[in-house]
């Protein structure tokens, strides 16, 4: 129990929960509240679409322990704990942003009717994709720089001056894809699973590959009699 | 001094940040090129929009670097032979150098790419400097946050996200364009058909560089509250520069460009003359053939095109004597040429007459009839894609060119007077 409490405190779960709630509040401010003030606008929905980025980055950054060396020599294997952190914090944020976004109801008559199909499903999808991306970023650039990858993904629809309209797969412009977009949803789930594997292995790609090959060897090895 | 800067600067996250800035600058600039065209103005537009990501990236990286260095060197720096402020400013500059070098490298690679692939035009130097200055502000912001906040887990991402949030908020709130332009992100679109408002760009450069220096200095002041006459004078000078820069931006309402046609044309002459800017020359044969077809359908009416000059829609639309304007933004497919023809017929055909009569006086039948004819004349079928009844349009397009011309001449009075009805169509 003490170990669990120590882990929870050292990974700033309370701060993560607070950030998730603030993110949900921001979605309501940028989405339903702004939209109720200006039903023909809807332009802030694009901002609301990016807000899961905050929770995603917080989940990853808080797991970038300041006590990496101690972690390595800890009596317990922290992989499962790290995975619990990943799933628990994403779940809390997912419920918060999902509930907040459920009030998002952009009318097709709005100036940006392309956002009329954007709602809670898309917000949760964005959270999954960006959280996974943060852990992929951390494994590529280090624990302090996990945010670089999801930030890039969240801003791409707005920096690709002409590319946004020509992104037929919706992968580059995932954050503004509608609820029903199939390929972005699959990409988000895959990214989330990859992120989970990296989270459990302290964002070491080598560790993930070693684990996979270890499991594969166990499965394929002949049984001793 | 330079050797120290190089030794300290060209390693660590700042160097990686510089490489990332170079790569992103090149990728996003090339991604912004209009289909079928090779224009420097598009590269500049893409390079500008890239700062929405490179700014926050740089802010996060410098926050990390500043926090780490401050934490390691805080105890040592008071014993240095140089004043603490100088020591820290040297470090700030050494962090900035690889990032700025990354931007310069990115622009250099773009210049080589442009030369090798025959990109038309030249970038406007103050514009490039303004984009670079926006990155300098991000460096100043990140460095000051890192210096003050220290090495907490949230500092680099918080600096990046805060900088990004400021940029997004500046665009999301309903601010005047002049105020929006004070924020370090260039969203203007460069075009061949413009004249540059240099004072805005100079204003931004002065404002952003002063602001960045000020942020770094004030962050150091926060750590060591030693006010000297020299540093107070420096701060006052920077504030004055920032105010002057901000005033210049507000004075021109943040405008980067005004519509202008340089009148630099290459023309194709035959049954008619079509003139395009040399950067758009590859569209000339297709555009010529599209207007030749339009002329065959409109022969004997006021809609025949004799001399067309490329222009900018809206501001700055000023064709030469006896010429009419043609608008072409990109040349990715035949559709772009058809759109140019459609814009021509909506400008010189019935639409202005319909607008002057007031939309409330137009019947649905007239609106659809005019759109059917415009789409048929120009070949731009997207204009009627939303119509439920396409039978009239289908009959128009199935007519032979001569028969179509006969029909159009017979109905040109109703067409130009905006009284054409669906029943008049074949």
């Amino acid at each position: 129990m003490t170990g669990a409490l120590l882990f929870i405190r050292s990974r700033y779960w309370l701060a993560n929960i607070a950030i998730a709630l603030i993110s949900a509040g921001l979605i309501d401010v940028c989405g339903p509240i702004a939209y109720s003030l200006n039903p023909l606008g809807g332009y802030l929905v694009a901002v609301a679409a990016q807000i899961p980025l905050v929770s995603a980055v917080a989940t990853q950054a808080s797991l970038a322990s300041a006590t990496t060396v101690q972690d390595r020599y800890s009596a317990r294997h922290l992989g499962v704990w790290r995975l619990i952190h990943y799933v628990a914090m994403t779940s809390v944020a997912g419920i918060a942003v999902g509930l907040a976004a459920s009030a998002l109801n952009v009318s097709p008559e709005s100036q940006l009717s392309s956002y009329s199909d954007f709602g809670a499903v898309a917000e949760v999808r964005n959270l999954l994709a960006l959280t996974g991306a943060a852990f992929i970023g951390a494994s590529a650039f280090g624990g302090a720089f996990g945010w670089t990858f999801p930030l890039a993904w969240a801003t791409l629809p707005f920096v690709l001056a002409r590319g946004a309209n020509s992104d037929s797969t919706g992968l580059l412009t995932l954050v503004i894809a509608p609820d029903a977009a199939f390929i972005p949803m699959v990409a988000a789930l895959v990214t989330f699973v990859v992120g989970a594997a990296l989270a459990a292995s302290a964002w070491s790609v080598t560790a993930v590959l070693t684990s996979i090959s270890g499991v594969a060897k166990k499965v394929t090895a002949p049984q001793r009699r | 001094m330079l050797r120290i800067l190089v030794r300290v600067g060209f390693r660590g996250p700042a160097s990686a940040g510089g490489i990332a800035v170079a790569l992103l600058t090149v990728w996003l600039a090339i991604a912004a090129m209009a289909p079928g065209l090779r224009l420097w103005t598009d590269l500049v537009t893409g390079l500008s929009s890239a700062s929405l990501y490179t700014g926050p990236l740089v802010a996060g990286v410098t926050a990390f670097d500043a926090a780490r260095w401050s934490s390691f060197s805080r105890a040592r720096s008071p014993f240095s032979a140089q004043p603490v402020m100088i020591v820290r400013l040297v470090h700030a500059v050494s962090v900035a150098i690889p990032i700025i070098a990354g931007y310069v490298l990115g622009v250099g690679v773009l210049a080589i790419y442009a030369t090798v692939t025959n990109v038309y035009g030249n970038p406007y130097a103050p514009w490039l400097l303004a984009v670079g200055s926006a990155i300098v502000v991000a460096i100043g912001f990140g460095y000051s946050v890192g210096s003050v906040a220290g090495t907490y887990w949230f500092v680099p991402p918080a600096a990046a996200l805060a900088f990004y949030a400021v940029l997004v908020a500046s665009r999301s709130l309903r601010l005047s364009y002049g105020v929006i332009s004070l924020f370090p992100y260039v969203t203007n679109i460069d075009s061949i058909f413009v004249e540059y408002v240099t004072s805005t760009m100079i204003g931004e450069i002065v404002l952003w560089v002063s602001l960045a220096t000020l942020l770094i200095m004030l962050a150091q002041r926060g750590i060591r509250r030693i006010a000297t006459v020299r540093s107070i004078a420096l701060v006052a000078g920077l504030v004055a520069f920032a105010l002057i820069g901000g005033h210049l931006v507000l004075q021109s309402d943040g405008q980067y460009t005004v519509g202008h046609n340089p009148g630099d044309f290459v023309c194709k002459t035959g049954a008619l003359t079509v003139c395009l800017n040399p950067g758009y020359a590859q569209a000339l044969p297709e555009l010529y053939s599209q207007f030749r077809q339009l002329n065959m359908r409109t022969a004997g009416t006021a809609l025949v095109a004799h001399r067309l000059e490329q222009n900018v829609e809206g501001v700055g639309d000023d064709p030469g004597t006896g010429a009419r304007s043609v608008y072409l933004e990109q040349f990715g497919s035949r559709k772009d040429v058809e759109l140019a023809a459609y814009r021509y017929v909506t400008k010189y055909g019935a639409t202005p007459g319909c607008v002057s009569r007031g939309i409330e006086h137009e019947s649905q039948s007239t609106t659809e009839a005019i759109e059917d004819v415009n789409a048929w004349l120009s070949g731009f079928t997207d204009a009627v894609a939303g119509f439920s009844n396409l039978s009239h349009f289908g009959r128009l397009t199935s007519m032979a060119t001569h028969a179509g011309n006969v029909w159009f001449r017979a109905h040109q009075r109703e067409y130009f007077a905006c009284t054409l009805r669906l029943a008049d169509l074949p």
Side-chain angles (χ1 to χ4, degrees), chain A residues 12 43 50 148 152 155 159 162, chain B residues 32 42 49 53 153 164 172 174:
Chain A
Y12 312 100
Y43 59 93
Q50 297 179 78
T148 51
T155 52
V159 296
R162 290 178 200 274
Chain B
D42 287 343
S49 65
Y53 179 65
W153 61 278
Y164 182 62
S172 303
R174 298 263 164 118

Side-chain angles (χ1 to χ4, degrees), chain B residues 298-320:
Chain B
T298 58
T301 71
L303 207 49
V304 173
H306 297 290
R307 180 182 167 86
L308 294 170
E309 290 180 358
Q310 191 181 11
N311 226 307
V312 54
E313 194 160 21
V315 188
D317 189 355
D318 185 24

Side-chain angles (χ1 to χ4, degrees), chain A residues 161-162, chain B residues 32 41-42 44-46 48-49 127 177 186-196 201 256-258 329:
Chain A
R162 290 178 200 274
Chain B
T41 51
D42 287 343
V44 171
T45 302
S48 308
S49 65
W127 191 309
Y177 197 70
V186 179
T187 48
N188 297 278
I189 294 171
D190 195 7
S191 161
I192 283 174
F193 301 100
V194 294
E195 256 179 3
Y196 298 105
M201 300 175 205
Y256 260 51
T257 56
V258 287
E329 269 82 47

Side-chain angles (χ1 to χ4, degrees), chain B residues 71-269:
Chain B
S71 150
F72 288 155
S73 311
R74 190 166 291 163
R76 284 184 303 164
S77 48
F79 303 106
S80 77
Q82 297 284 336
V84 178
M85 174 70 83
I86 299 296
V87 174
R88 297 186 65 88
L89 281 179
V90 166
H91 179 255
V93 172
S94 71
V95 169
I97 281 178
I99 293 168
I100 295 167
Y103 174 69
V104 174
L105 178 68
V107 173
V109 170
L110 282 177
I112 294 166
Y113 169 82
T115 310
V116 171
T117 59
N118 282 327
V119 171
Y120 176 77
N122 289 301
Y124 190 56
W127 191 309
L128 297 181
L129 288 174
V131 176
S133 306
I135 292 175
V136 172
V137 177
I139 294 171
F141 177 81
Y143 198 88
S144 57
V145 169
S147 299
V148 173
T151 52
Y152 293 104
W153 61 278
F154 56 83
V155 171
L161 292 181
F163 193 79
Y164 182 62
V166 168
L167 298 186
V168 170
S170 70
R171 264 65 190 170
S172 303
L173 302 172
R174 298 263 164 118
L175 304 171
S176 73
Y177 197 70
V179 176
I180 289 173
S181 299
L182 296 175
F183 290 86
Y185 171 41
V186 179
T187 48
N188 297 278
I189 294 171
D190 195 7
S191 161
I192 283 174
F193 301 100
V194 294
E195 256 179 3
Y196 298 105
V197 183
T198 312
S199 65
T200 307
M201 300 175 205
I202 298 293
E204 284 185 342
I205 294 164
V206 171
L207 168 68
W208 292 342
V209 172
S210 312
L211 199 63
T213 318
L214 206 54
L215 280 170
I216 292 170
M217 281 193 69
L218 291 178
Q220 315 314 323
R221 291 284 97 199
I223 292 163
R224 291 193 47 92
R225 292 184 178 80
I226 305 166
T228 61
V229 173
R230 207 193 302 173
S231 61
I232 289 170
L234 190 57
V235 168
L238 288 169
V239 170
F241 270 116
L243 289 174
I244 291 167
H247 176 71
L248 282 172
V249 175
L250 290 172
Q251 203 174 30
S252 55
D253 196 30
Q255 271 208 275
Y256 260 51
T257 56
V258 287
H260 168 74
N261 194 338
D264 182 14
F265 291 130
V266 284
C267 301
K268 182 172 170 64
T269 306

Side-chain angles (χ1 to χ4, degrees), chain B residues 15 20 25 43 45 52 59 89 121 139 142 191 203 259 264 270 288 378 409 416:
Chain B
S15 302
T25 300
L43 290 176
T45 302
L52 181 65
L89 281 179
I139 294 171
S191 161
D264 182 14
Y288 177 86
S378 62
R409 271 192 297 173
F416 283 108

Side-chain angles (χ1 to χ4, degrees), chain A residues 12 15-16 19 38 41 43-44 47 50 53-54 57-59 61-64 111 144-145 147-149 151-156 158-163 172, chain B residues 13 27-28 31-35 42 45-46 49-53 56-61 64 153-154 156-157 160-161 164 168 171-174 185 329-330:
Chain A
Y12 312 100
N16 269 291
I19 288 168
N38 179 14
Y43 59 93
L44 278 173
V47 180
Q50 297 179 78
L53 176 68
V54 181
V57 166
T59 302
S62 57
L63 197 55
Q111 286 168 10
F145 296 102
W147 51 272
T148 51
F149 191 30
L151 181 64
W153 207 354
T155 52
L156 266 178
F158 311 101
V159 296
L160 282 172
R162 290 178 200 274
L172 292 178
Chain B
W27 173 45
L28 292 170
M33 290 186 92
D42 287 343
T45 302
S49 65
S51 56
L52 181 65
Y53 179 65
L57 175 78
V58 162
V61 167
F64 176 83
W153 61 278
F154 56 83
L161 292 181
Y164 182 62
V168 170
R171 264 65 190 170
S172 303
L173 302 172
R174 298 263 164 118
Y185 171 41
E329 269 82 47
Q330 59 180 40

Side-chain angles (χ1 to χ4, degrees), chain A residues 7-42:
Chain A
F7 186 85
I8 287 168
R9 281 189 63 184
S10 64
R11 267 65 180 182
Y12 312 100
W13 278 31
L14 280 180
N16 269 291
I17 293 167
I19 288 168
L21 295 176
I22 292 167
S23 299
L26 281 172
I27 285 174
D28 270 341
V29 169
C30 294
I33 293 175
Y35 187 63
S36 66
L37 294 173
N38 179 14
L40 292 177

